[in-house]
Amino acid sequence: MERLDHLEHLDRQLVDELAQVARETVRDELREQTRKQRRTAMLYAASGAVALYAGAALALAVGLALALGLPDWAAALITAVILAAVAYALRGAARPSAARPAAGPEAATPAAADRAAGGAAPVAAPPSGSGLGTPYPPKPPVAPEVPGTPEPGVAPGQDGIDPEQPHHRA
């Protein structure tokens, strides 16, 4: 029995030692990965700062070039409009492709041609804001008939229904 107790103690010690080595190895690996990611993030930040300064220098150069033939205020205004147009184009390029109008097979269908000819833009999502991208079904050309209502042009009581009698639906 003593011999088994001694082996059990060795097994626990071995398991504890292996767990500690595994923890240290994982910790060292995570430190190394964190160090690499930190370096990459710093390089991206530096790249963005330098690109910002390059864009400012380019805008200044455009403004100064325009100022040679125009008043200073007009050159600054034109430069601002150019920068706004570039910003708008970049914003449009950053949007997901689902928000852009589809020019796929739907555009070739007759219903799509009718919508384009009618001038009404198709509704991409219900006003509830669910954003599922499913359009409303088309509006029927004639309103549906409701049972119990007289047809247009027919006087009440002439349709065979007594207005004094209660009506029950089955």
Side-chain angles (χ1 to χ4, degrees):
M1 286 301 242
E2 279 182 36
R3 190 166 192 196
L4 290 177
D5 289 337
H6 180 66
L7 288 177
E8 188 176 303
H9 175 69
L10 285 176
D11 286 345
R12 277 192 203 143
Q13 188 179 5
L14 183 61
V15 168
D16 290 341
E17 194 174 325
L18 284 173
Q20 184 176 354
V21 168
R23 278 193 298 264
E24 289 175 1
T25 304
V26 168
R27 192 176 298 135
D28 291 342
E29 185 65 30
L30 287 175
R31 274 191 198 126
E32 184 65 28
Q33 286 180 359
T34 304
R35 191 175 298 127
K36 287 179 183 177
Q37 289 175 349
R38 193 176 299 143
R39 181 177 183 271
T40 302
M42 285 183 1
L43 290 174
Y44 273 119
S47 170
V50 170
L52 180 68
Y53 281 111
L58 179 65
L60 179 65
V62 168
L64 289 175
L66 288 172
L68 292 175
L70 297 171
D72 292 344
W73 64 268
L77 184 63
I78 291 171
T79 304
V81 169
I82 291 171
L83 289 174
V86 169
Y88 184 78
L90 290 174
R91 184 187 68 124
R95 286 188 176 174
S97 60
R100 293 185 185 143
E106 182 191 38
T109 62
D114 289 344
R115 280 183 294 199
V123 177
S128 66
S130 64
L132 297 176
T134 55
Y136 287 119
K139 182 179 176 184
V142 178
E145 293 183 21
V146 178
T149 57
E151 293 183 20
V154 177
Q158 293 180 352
D159 56 357
I161 299 176
D162 187 7
E164 300 296 322
Q165 292 288 334
H167 299 290
H168 300 286
R169 296 187 182 191

